[in-house]
Amino acid sequence: MTSCPCEQVTCVGGVDLWALLDDVKCQDLRNHRDNMEPCSCDTFVALPPATVGNRIIFGKNSDRPSDEVQEIVYFPRQSYEPGEKLQCTYIEIEQAEKTHAVVLSRPSWLWGAEMGANEFGVCIGNEAVWGKEEIDDKEALLGMDFVRLGLERADTAHGALDVIIGLLEKYGQGGNCMESPMSFTYHNSFLIADRKEAWILETAGQYWAAEKVDEGIKNISNNLSITTKIDREHPAMREYARTKGWWDGRKEFNFAAVYSYFNPSRSSSSGDRFCEGYKLNITAETMMEILSDKPSGINMEGGFMTTGSMVSILPQDPNQPCCHFFTGTPDPARSVFKPFIFVPEIEPFVRTASPLFGADDPVRLKPRFQTKPDRRHELHKKHEDAIMSMKTSQVQSNMLIAVVPRMKVTPYLQDRR
C-alpha cells in the first residue's frame, strides 16, 4: 500500500470506489487500483436448507477505524408519553409510544448500532454503500441509527423494513459516520432477519430497493447487490434513474447496475473473500469461522479492521430461545464470542459498556469531534492486555492461540448443534 494521504479512502471503499476518485490528483493512489482487494464489512444470513436444523443463522463483522471502540449494550423495553422526542446521533425525531428490548454492538461514540437484535429475534446489520447518487453531508439519521430504530420499533423482519423505510423517507440519511473532524459519509444497506425470513434493503439517497430472502445463503457488503429480483421499491426509483440517464426505460431494470458506478457482479466473484461465506450446512460455529477468516479478507486488518463481530441463532421453533453471540473486541480470531439470551430482569452491562461523557462529549459539542476521549471499556482493555502478552511472550501467545478456539464452542452450541 502507498503512504499516500488519500490511503484511508482506499481502505473504506476498496476497488469499488475508484470511479469516485477520477478527479483526485493523486497518481500513487490510482496506480494501485488494479491490484487492490475489496475492503469492507460483511453481513451474512443462512436459512434452511443451508443450515443444520430448522434455524436461521445471522452473522456480521463490523469493520471500522482500528482505534474505534465497539461496545455491547442492552436497553430494556420502555413506554413513552405521546409527543416525546428522541435524540439520535445528530438529530431529534419523534419517539415511539413503546420500544422493544435490544442488545446492540455499536461504535461507542454514537446512538445507533452497527448490528444487534431485539427480544423478538429480529437481527439487523448495516453496511456502507456508494453509487451514482450524491451523498449529502447534511446531518440526518445515520445508517446505524436506522439499525437501532428498526430493532426498537418492530417485532418482525418485515416490520423493521417498514420502520427503516418510513424513517428514511421522513428524515433522510446523512452525517459523518466516523469520530473524526474529517468527513466520512455513505449511503446504507441493511440485512434484516427473524425466525422466518430475511430482507435485504439497499438505499441510494432517498431511493431504495428491497429483496426478500426465503432460503439459502445471502451476504451483503459495501456494494449494491440487489439486481433484478426486487420485491419492494421506492415508487419513484425507476423514473428518477431514467431522468438521470442511468436507465433507458426499456431494458430490464437492474438496481445495482443502474445505481452503481461499477459492475455489481464483481462482489460475488472476488475469490476467497466471498466464497468463504458460501459454505453449506451452516451452524453458528461455521459462521464464527467465516467471520474469523483472515486470508479471505472477511476478518479485516489494517487502518480499518474488524472491531466487533456478531453471530445469532434464530430457531424457527418459537418455543426455543434465540441466542446471540458478540465479541465486543477487535479481531474475532482472537476474541471469544460471548452468548446472550433475552430473559427477564437483565442487569445493565458494565464490563462491555464504554464510559459516558454527557454534554461534554465531543460528538455533542460543535464543531464536532475536536477531541477524542478514551472510550475503552473494561473488556476492551483486557483484550488489549492479552494481545500485548501474545506479542511479548511466545509461551502466552501459544496458550491463547490454543484456548480461544475452544472457548468459542460454548455449552449452548454443544447442546444444540
Side-chain angles (χ1 to χ4, degrees), residues 25-282:
K25 296 180 180 179
C26 177
Q27 188 61 44
D28 287 340
L29 184 63
R30 290 195 295 269
N31 286 342
H32 288 266
R33 72 171 65 190
D34 295 324
N35 299 316
M36 294 281 298
E37 288 296 322
C39 299
S40 56
C41 300
D42 295 279
T43 308
F44 299 87
V45 68
L47 298 84
T51 59
V52 175
N54 293 320
R55 62 192 64 172
I56 291 175
I57 304 295
F58 175 93
K60 175 172 166 59
N61 272 353
S62 173
D63 297 340
R64 301 283 303 171
S66 57
D67 63 346
E68 184 179 82
V69 176
Q70 190 126 166
E71 63 176 349
I72 309 301
V73 290
Y74 167 81
F75 296 98
R77 64 172 66 176
Q78 196 164 342
S79 298
Y80 300 89
E81 295 295 327
E84 283 197 48
K85 300 296 183 180
L86 169 65
Q87 179 63 52
C88 299
T89 301
Y90 295 126
I91 68 168
E92 187 178 80
I93 68 172
E94 295 177 3
Q95 179 60 281
E97 291 185 9
K98 64 177 182 178
T99 55
H100 307 312
V102 297
V103 59
L104 308 172
S105 182
R106 67 179 187 179
S108 55
W109 60 270
L110 53 75
W111 179 85
E114 271 275 290
M115 51 200 172
N118 71 18
E119 59 185 303
F120 295 98
V122 179
C123 298
I124 307 179
N126 164 241
E127 302 287 343
V129 291
W130 293 266
K132 296 175 184 175
E133 181 65 1
E134 290 187 11
I135 298 173
D136 194 344
D137 288 335
K138 180 181 178 182
E139 290 184 348
L141 289 173
L142 294 179
M144 292 172 280
D145 292 338
F146 287 118
V147 170
R148 179 171 174 179
L149 289 164
L151 292 171
E152 287 188 338
R153 300 184 179 195
D155 57 7
T156 66
H158 189 268
L161 175 70
D162 285 336
V163 166
I164 295 173
I165 290 170
L167 293 169
L168 173 64
E169 294 179 349
K170 185 172 184 178
Y171 297 104
Q173 59 179 321
N176 193 355
C177 301
M178 185 165 59
E179 188 183 15
S180 168
M182 183 182 69
S183 180
F184 173 46
T185 57
Y186 47 76
H187 294 148
N188 294 274
S189 68
F190 306 89
L191 201 160
I192 312 168
D194 62 19
R195 294 175 181 267
K196 296 181 180 180
E197 63 184 19
W199 284 85
I200 295 172
L201 170 64
E202 297 182 338
T203 71
Q206 65 176 309
Y207 302 99
W208 55 270
E211 177 184 351
K212 185 179 180 182
V213 183
D214 292 309
E215 63 179 16
I217 304 169
K218 294 286 284 188
N219 79 289
I220 62 172
S221 191
N222 293 130
N223 308 323
L224 295 176
S225 65
I226 297 175
T227 56
T228 58
K229 183 183 180 300
I230 302 174
D231 296 301
R232 293 183 59 184
E233 64 186 77
H234 188 288
M237 177 189 71
R238 300 186 190 220
E239 179 59 22
Y240 179 74
R242 192 188 64 78
T243 61
K244 298 288 284 187
W246 303 337
W247 180 54
D248 62 11
R250 296 188 300 273
K251 295 179 182 177
E252 182 179 26
F253 188 85
N254 181 316
F255 178 72
V258 169
Y259 276 85
S260 298
Y261 275 110
F262 56 91
N263 180 358
S265 65
R266 198 171 175 186
S267 67
S268 58
S269 59
S270 298
D272 290 342
R273 171 178 161 71
F274 290 93
C275 292
E276 185 68 19
Y278 286 91
K279 294 179 178 178
L280 297 178
N281 300 320
I282 298 291

